Amino acid sequence: MNKPEITALASEVRQRLERVSVALGGSEEATIAQTDETMAKMKVDTQQMQASMEKIHRAQDPQEQQRLMREHMQQMRETMRSMGGEMHGKCMCCGH
């Protein structure tokens, strides 16, 4: 996503992951490799979410839009769970 706030957030997440891994005794090289893997997964997840939002916007039928939105929200919940969190409130990419 070409949003400065997402890029800044990703940078902050990367730095925090590196600090936590080093604090837990991981080598700097292992920490960087693990962080790169995590960031790559986050990038794929972000691209999938962006693609789902594009489908929602292209859908003409309101029922189809609702179905796609439910799928999008489920995808967001699964992504948050995989990162050890939960989704509270509104979706940060679509505001629903």
Side-chain angles (χ1 to χ4, degrees):
M1 297 171 114
N2 295 326
K3 294 185 175 182
E5 59 272 15
I6 299 295
T7 303
L9 178 61
S11 177
E12 181 180 337
V13 167
R14 179 186 185 94
Q15 291 170 4
R16 288 182 181 199
L17 286 170
E18 289 174 355
R19 286 194 305 267
V20 167
S21 184
V22 168
L24 293 173
S27 71
E28 190 170 338
E29 293 80 20
T31 299
I32 291 170
Q34 186 176 16
T35 301
D36 287 345
E37 183 180 326
T38 301
M39 295 303 290
K41 183 180 181 333
M42 288 176 66
K43 183 176 182 177
V44 168
D45 289 345
T46 301
Q47 289 169 338
Q48 289 173 341
M49 286 181 263
Q50 185 176 14
S52 73
M53 287 304 302
E54 290 171 4
K55 284 181 189 177
I56 292 165
H57 290 296
R58 284 193 309 263
Q60 299 296 313
D61 179 47
Q63 290 179 334
E64 178 67 2
Q65 285 180 328
Q66 287 180 340
R67 184 188 69 76
L68 291 169
M69 183 58 73
R70 283 191 301 273
E71 288 177 7
H72 171 76
M73 295 302 290
Q74 183 61 34
Q75 181 182 18
M76 287 293 296
R77 285 184 194 93
E78 289 172 13
T79 298
M80 292 299 294
R81 267 189 231 111
S82 75
M83 294 176 8
E86 290 185 33
M87 191 170 148
H88 300 285
K90 294 184 177 188
C91 174
M92 67 183 225
C93 60
C94 66
H96 288 90

